[in-house]
Amino acid sequence: MASLQPIPDNPSPVPEVTLMAQTNDLIVRGFELQDMQSLDDLESWDGAVNDVLSVINDQVLNTGLASPALKRRIECLLELYVSVLASLSEMQHTRSAQAADLRQQRRLISG
């Protein structure tokens, strides 16, 4: 899985090249998570997406940072984010249905 580079917690602006690299890493990791089985991985990725988008939002508001290349990456990341969440919802629904089926089978066996 792609490793994420932490964004420093300081008040100075993060270089756009760093934000683009971070966004690319999140996109790669998001594609890997579409077939994920671990909620821990999803939570980690979700937190990283929220962190990078928070930094980008702050910088757009304060410094006007918003190149077309970064905007495209943000759009891709947001679409992927929605897709991963939909996959997670589907996985949870499938697991709930399987659990209900197992309970029904146990009832039939138990009599």
Side-chain angles (χ1 to χ4, degrees):
M1 193 168 290
S3 64
L4 299 174
Q5 301 298 320
I7 294 177
D9 288 333
N10 61 24
S12 62
V14 176
E16 185 172 339
V17 69
T18 301
L19 292 172
M20 288 182 16
Q22 181 71 22
T23 304
N24 283 340
D25 289 346
L26 289 167
I27 290 168
V28 168
R29 190 159 182 207
F31 279 116
E32 292 170 351
L33 284 172
Q34 286 185 319
D35 295 323
M36 60 89 189
Q37 297 296 320
S38 169
L39 292 178
D40 291 337
D41 289 343
L42 177 69
E43 288 173 0
S44 172
W45 183 75
D46 177 60
V49 168
N50 288 320
D51 290 346
V52 78
L53 291 177
S54 176
V55 170
I56 291 170
N57 281 337
D58 288 344
Q59 287 190 203
V60 166
L61 292 173
N62 296 324
T63 64
L65 169 77
S67 74
L70 183 57
K71 285 180 182 179
R72 283 191 302 276
R73 284 175 179 81
I74 293 168
E75 289 172 3
C76 181
L77 180 60
L78 291 175
E79 288 176 18
L80 184 59
Y81 187 79
V82 170
S83 176
V84 168
L85 291 180
S87 295
L88 174 64
S89 177
E90 183 178 321
M91 183 179 71
Q92 289 174 332
H93 177 72
T94 299
R95 286 184 179 170
S96 293
Q98 289 172 341
D101 188 42
L102 286 174
R103 284 191 298 271
Q104 179 64 25
Q105 288 176 11
R106 284 186 198 133
R107 281 187 220 128
L108 291 173
I109 292 170
S110 299

